Amino acid sequence: MYDLIIHNGQIVSTSHVSSPDTWIGIQDEKIVCIQAGPLPHDASKRYIDAKGAYITPGGIDTHVHLQQLQVAPGDDTGDTFESGTRSAIAGGTTTIIAFANQQRHDKSLYPLVEEYHRRASKDGTWCDYGFHVILTNPTKAILDEEIPVLFEKEGISSIKVYMTYEARRVGDRDMLEIMLRTRKLGMTLMIHAENDDMVQLVIDHLRDNDLTEPHHHAIARTPLAEAEATNRAICLSNLVSSPILIVHVSSSAAMSRIRTAQNDLQPIFAETCPQYLLMLADAMRSSGHGGCGCSHSAEEKAEDDGFEGAKLICSPPLRESKDDLDAVWKGMINGTVTTFSSDHCPSAFDHPKGKKKGLESGKADFTKVPNGLPGVETRLPLLMTYGVEKERITVQRFVEVTSTQPAHLYGLQHRKGSIAPGMDADIVIWFPNGTIQEEISNDKLHHSIDYTPFEGFQATNWPR
Ligand code: DUC
Ligand code: ZN
Ligand code: ZN
């Protein structure tokens, strides 16, 4: 007897789409049986008809910020574990990995990890979750004593480091020391690659010239700063032969450096996110600004308070050139990109500690706006719509970057990331092609944020 049978769908793996009459038997939250053609009649307590639908493994979103202290430069992120995972599951994501964030003064990671577990269990969660740790002060005791314990006993399989932000960046020597440990343990090292000094220099010049409206964020954090840091991280990793994952790759320059290193057979992995495939910095120019040479009319400038663009402030920023967007798509298509995450890092717009923190002095200041966008719920439908249904990528590649490869990168491959007997029954059913034609709008989403950056984007499919 099964608890559930899903019948007549097409199971998608990284290499294969099954025949349209595939039956899946599920018992105790595990997949126990898959076959072409019917399982015995009345063999199950419950049936789901998936006729004409693709069936994909549950989405694994390995880049999600929830209830995190000090998300630079703002405060709490704006979704709890409860609302963030509710939004995840409503968008077909059945596993998230969130961040436990070390602050510079934290001498031990143990209380920190405990605190994040407390946050996650307080109101419950709607999907499975795990944690990465963000290291900002990688002392010898942390590297040699605590990290091996967290890896072996607490299931923490990954570390993130920042090359930017005053409060978080780590230097090259520290990165090398961390790489030596992650190599030895087989952990995944995620790197936020932006050259902080290059960014700060441009910010200072923009400030001196009173250019602080939201869209200047994209000018401050240039593709060159991303490329330099990406290249440096690759060189450091080469020195110590340690695999690394460059997260949220946003530009052609960074993507090319990664591709070149991969062609040289270096173990460099790459992550990108929906925003870097679908939006350009131009969308941030809702005006209110002087002296930046934009094309808005005087009336438009007078009407708009010029601050709506803050909704799109994330780091790395949306890029100014379509060439960057095209290069990120190419990386998605040709295999340079290993994994596709949301980088869900939400702040409410209309809240003094949220995006509107950038208006605190009475004048728009992009440097005060918390960085990051909500997107855990829209990640899969956007890639299904703009990637698979627009025939840029195959549905097999979709499964690879949204589930199978993320599972492998973070040590979940024995339970998650594919549909096979013995695996967790984390399953997404997609409506048959062409049965849905919707626009994304925030009032249909399940996060606790007052906007979505993808308002008005199409969703020609939605996961169930
Ligand atoms: N890095 C992230 O990974 N998310 C949001 C902001 C940032 O800098
Ligand atoms: Zn980052
Ligand atoms: Zn992030």
Side-chain angles (χ1 to χ4, degrees), residues 66 78-88 124 126 376 446-448:
L66 294 173
D79 256 321
T80 62
F81 276 87
E82 192 276 330
S83 65
T85 54
R86 182 180 67 204
S87 189
W126 295 82
V376 71
H446 298 76
H447 58 198
S448 60

Side-chain angles (χ1 to χ4, degrees), residues 63 65 99 160 162 248 343 345:
H63 194 146
H65 303 263
F99 295 92
K160 181 178 178 185
Y162 285 82
H248 44 47
D343 196 1
C345 186

Side-chain angles (χ1 to χ4, degrees), residues 2 38 56 74-75 80 123-124 161 170 195 202 233 243 255 267 288 301 316 400 418 428 433 449 458:
Y2 303 105
T56 62
D75 280 298
T80 62
D123 298 314
V161 294
V170 297
N195 179 313
V202 183
M255 197 63 84
K301 285 181 185 179
E400 182 170 72
S418 55
V428 175
N433 243 349
I449 306 302
Q458 289 171 44

Side-chain angles (χ1 to χ4, degrees), residues 78-319:
D79 256 321
T80 62
F81 276 87
E82 192 276 330
S83 65
T85 54
R86 182 180 67 204
S87 189
I89 206 95
T93 288
T94 51
T95 303
I96 61 149
I97 309 184
F99 295 92
N101 178 29
Q102 183 192 25
Q103 302 193 42
R104 291 267 202 231
H105 54 261
D106 292 334
K107 297 240 158 21
S108 167
L109 300 178
Y110 298 146
L112 179 83
V113 171
E114 236 173 74
E115 167 60 19
Y116 277 89
H117 274 294
R118 219 179 354 258
R119 288 174 187 212
S121 54
K122 184 168 168 283
D123 298 314
T125 49
W126 295 82
C127 70
D128 289 344
Y129 65 90
F131 293 107
H132 319 280
V133 290
I134 293 173
L135 286 184
T136 57
N137 182 18
T139 63
K140 212 167 155 12
I142 284 179
L143 291 178
D144 290 337
E145 289 156 34
E146 297 198 0
I147 291 290
V149 172
L150 291 174
F151 176 65
E152 277 148 27
K153 302 223 161 64
E154 297 293 325
I156 293 200
S157 64
S158 42
I159 289 171
K160 181 178 178 185
V161 294
Y162 285 82
M163 299 171 82
T164 186
Y165 300 130
E166 190 54 37
R168 297 177 162 205
R169 63 192 269 200
V170 297
D172 295 348
R173 176 61 191 258
D174 279 340
M175 292 234 290
L176 287 163
E177 296 290 350
I178 295 167
M179 285 176 186
L180 287 169
R181 274 57 170 209
T182 52
R183 182 187 76 173
K184 187 167 160 207
L185 294 168
M187 296 176 86
T188 289
L189 178 57
M190 312 164 79
I191 299 181
H192 179 133
E194 286 184 290
N195 179 313
D196 201 56
D197 292 320
M198 291 168 81
V199 169
Q200 286 310 324
L201 177 101
V202 183
I203 287 180
D204 289 346
H205 278 258
L206 289 168
R207 275 215 186 108
D208 291 347
N209 289 286
D210 227 11
L211 299 172
T212 55
E213 297 84 357
H215 76 266
H216 294 99
H217 177 77
I219 295 165
R221 308 189 82 94
T222 63
L224 207 50
E226 186 185 25
E228 190 286 326
T230 300
N231 188 56
R232 181 154 39 100
I234 289 169
C235 293
L236 299 176
S237 119
N238 195 1
L239 180 74
V240 293
S241 305
S242 183
I244 54 170
L245 167 67
I246 308 290
V247 292
H248 44 47
V249 178
S250 71
S251 63
S252 171
M255 197 63 84
S256 312
R257 280 160 176 81
I258 290 165
R259 183 68 179 192
T260 302
Q262 290 172 342
N263 287 343
D264 289 342
L265 308 180
Q266 285 189 58
I268 308 298
F269 301 106
E271 175 202 78
T272 195
C273 318
Q275 50 271 32
Y276 305 119
L277 293 174
L278 298 175
M279 289 190 286
L280 287 169
D282 200 39
M284 300 167 77
R285 289 172 187 267
S286 65
S287 82
H289 32 89
C292 61
C294 72
S295 59
H296 290 273
S297 68
E299 298 84 75
E300 274 179 296
K301 285 181 185 179
E303 260 171 34
D304 192 321
D305 72 1
F307 195 70
E308 290 271 312
K311 290 178 177 172
L312 300 179
I313 287 187
C314 56
S315 292
L318 303 181
R319 294 305 180 191

